[in-house]
Amino acid sequence: MPVEIALSMNKFDGSGLLSRTVSSLKLGLIARICLGLSPLFLVLGPASPTDAPRLLFKSGFEGSLLLGEPYDCETSCWQDIKGSDSATGYSWPPEIWQGGAKLQLLADTPVTPDTVSTYVFNELQRAAGPHGRPTSVLYSEIRKHGGRSTQTPFLLTPSTTALQGDLYVSQWIKLQPDLLERLGPNSWWVLFEWKTNAQQRLITYIYTDSLNKPYWYLKTDDHSGGVAKEFWKVANRTAPVPIGEWFKFEIFWHRSSQRDGRAWQAINGQIVFDHFGPLLGGNDPIDRIMLTQVYAGGSLPLYQWVDDIEIWDGFPCGDGVPCGTKGAVPQ
C-alpha cells in the first residue's frame, strides 16, 4: 500500500483551510518529471559569467608612478600620470571605452608650464590613507582663480564612436578640514561629473545652505544653449557629509530615455541617491568624465586627497548594493 503524506495549502475561498492528500506515487511522478527536465537546466544553467560586472581599472597610486610636467598650455595645461600600479597591476592612464585620461590644469587664464601651478596644482604624495596607514595618494589644489571656471579634474576622455554602457566608479576622498569655513553659506563643491558631446551633464555636488550646513545634491542639465536647462534635480539633506576625513564615494549610472534610467550614489556604504527615470539617453555619447575634481565656490585655497580608484562596467557588489555597510539613507 502506498504511503500517504498529508500536505496543507492555505487557500482563501470563504470556507477556510483546504487540505489535500498526495500519495507517494504522485510524488514519485513529480520526481521523474524533474529528472527529465534536469538536462534542460544543465543547458540553460545560471547566468553566464560574462554577464557579471567586469573590473576595468583599479589603482591606489602605488609603485613607481610618475606625474609628468604640464604641457600643451593655453588657458589650461595637461598633465599625465604614468606607470603601473604595483599593487593592482593596472597601468595609468585608464582606457575606458577606448579613450585616454589625463589631468587638466584649467586656470581659465593664459598660462605656461611654469606659471600654471600658481593657479592649480597636483601632486602624488605619501600620506595617511583611508585605513590609517601611509600610502600614496593624489593631492589636488586650486591656489588662485584665473577665471570663473578654474578647476583641476582628472579627465577620462572616452571615444565617442566606441560602444558605451553602464559605469560604476568608487574612490576614497578626503576634503580639506576647513572646507566649510572656505565655502561659507549658500556655496558649492563639485564632487563628480560627466558631460556628453552635446553638452548635457550629470553632476553631483556638496552644497551648503544658509546656515552653512552641507548636503548632497545631484542633477542633470543641458549646457548646449546660452542658459543651462535642468532636466531633474534631487537633494539629500539627511546623509552625513564627511569633512576632513576619508570617505568612500560610489556612483553608478545607466543612461536611458525611458523610465529604466538610473543615477545611484553612496557615501561610506549609505545610499544617498537612487534616482530612476530618463537619464540623458539617445545617441549623444559621453566625451568627458571628471573622475576626480576640485571645482568650487568660496575662498582659496581649496584642496582634496584621493585614493583607491575603481571603475567597473556594472555594480560589483550587487544591484544597488554599496560595497560597504549596506544602509540606506531616507530621501
Side-chain angles (χ1 to χ4, degrees):
M1 177 181 294
V3 179
E4 294 188 337
I5 305 171
L7 300 181
S8 295
M9 294 172 25
N10 290 323
K11 181 180 179 182
F12 186 76
D13 60 358
S15 61
L17 183 67
L18 174 66
S19 297
R20 292 183 179 178
T21 302
V22 180
S23 71
S24 60
L25 291 177
K26 294 179 181 178
L27 291 177
L29 176 61
I30 293 171
R32 287 195 297 272
I33 292 173
C34 291
L35 288 173
L37 291 175
S38 60
L40 178 61
F41 295 149
L42 289 174
V43 171
L44 295 177
S48 168
T50 58
D51 295 333
R54 295 182 302 122
L55 178 63
L56 306 179
F57 179 78
K58 180 177 181 178
S59 178
F61 302 98
E62 298 300 330
S64 55
L65 298 183
L66 297 175
L67 189 61
E69 295 297 320
Y71 63 94
D72 287 353
C73 299
E74 292 181 0
T75 57
S76 69
C77 300
W78 300 100
Q79 193 171 27
D80 295 323
I81 300 176
K82 299 179 180 179
S84 178
D85 189 301
S86 59
T88 68
Y90 283 84
S91 296
W92 286 83
E95 297 180 1
I96 306 302
W97 299 332
Q98 300 179 21
K102 49 194 173 184
L103 286 159
Q104 184 179 23
L105 286 66
L106 204 172
D108 200 22
T109 191
V111 287
T112 69
D114 294 328
T115 63
V116 69
S117 62
T118 303
Y119 299 92
V120 289
F121 176 75
N122 294 279
E123 185 177 51
L124 295 177
Q125 294 183 351
R126 294 292 293 180
H131 309 293
R133 298 185 298 270
T135 187
S136 296
V137 301
L138 174 65
Y139 173 80
S140 300
E141 178 184 351
I142 300 176
R143 294 174 164 178
K144 179 181 177 181
H145 283 122
R148 295 180 61 186
S149 298
T150 302
Q151 58 189 281
T152 179
F154 186 82
L155 204 61
L156 304 180
T157 53
S159 167
T160 55
T161 59
L163 180 64
Q164 299 185 1
D166 298 348
L167 219 60
Y168 162 96
V169 171
S170 75
Q171 54 189 287
W172 285 85
I173 301 172
K174 182 180 178 181
L175 306 173
Q176 65 195 85
D178 64 344
L179 181 63
L180 294 182
E181 289 83 355
R182 291 291 180 181
L183 291 183
N186 301 313
S187 193
W188 52 275
W189 173 287
V190 176
L191 202 66
F192 181 90
E193 63 179 303
W194 52 257
K195 291 183 179 180
T196 70
N197 193 53
Q199 295 297 303
Q200 295 185 340
R201 178 179 69 165
L202 178 143
I203 185 166
T204 183
Y205 292 93
I206 295 170
Y207 272 5
T208 55
D209 64 15
S210 59
L211 300 178
N212 206 25
K213 181 180 178 181
Y215 64 96
W216 302 104
Y217 190 86
L218 178 71
K219 71 173 181 177
T220 56
D221 53 22
D222 186 335
H223 286 250
S224 59
V227 179
K229 172 188 174 183
E230 291 184 343
F231 296 111
W232 55 259
K233 56 187 177 182
V234 59
N236 187 321
R237 298 173 182 267
T238 306
V241 179
I243 304 295
E245 62 185 64
W246 287 101
F247 63 89
K248 187 172 186 178
F249 168 77
E250 300 172 82
I251 191 166
F252 167 85
W253 67 87
H254 169 70
R255 295 183 65 192
S256 174
S257 58
Q258 307 301 317
R259 289 183 298 175
D260 64 331
R262 190 176 189 183
W264 177 98
Q265 179 182 318
I267 301 294
N268 283 339
Q270 292 185 314
I271 298 172
V272 178
F273 300 115
D274 198 1
H275 179 88
F276 284 88
L279 179 60
L280 306 183
N283 299 316
D284 180 20
I286 295 172
D287 67 353
R288 286 157 289 173
I289 301 174
M290 289 69 163
L291 183 64
T292 71
Q293 176 65 293
V294 177
Y295 181 33
S299 62
L300 303 178
L302 296 166
Y303 55 92
Q304 70 176 15
W305 298 264
V306 172
D307 197 16
D308 293 342
I309 294 172
E310 293 188 18
I311 306 173
W312 296 70
D313 65 0
F315 279 112
C317 299
D319 185 13
V321 178
C323 294
T325 306
K326 298 170 181 60
V329 174
Q331 297 294 308

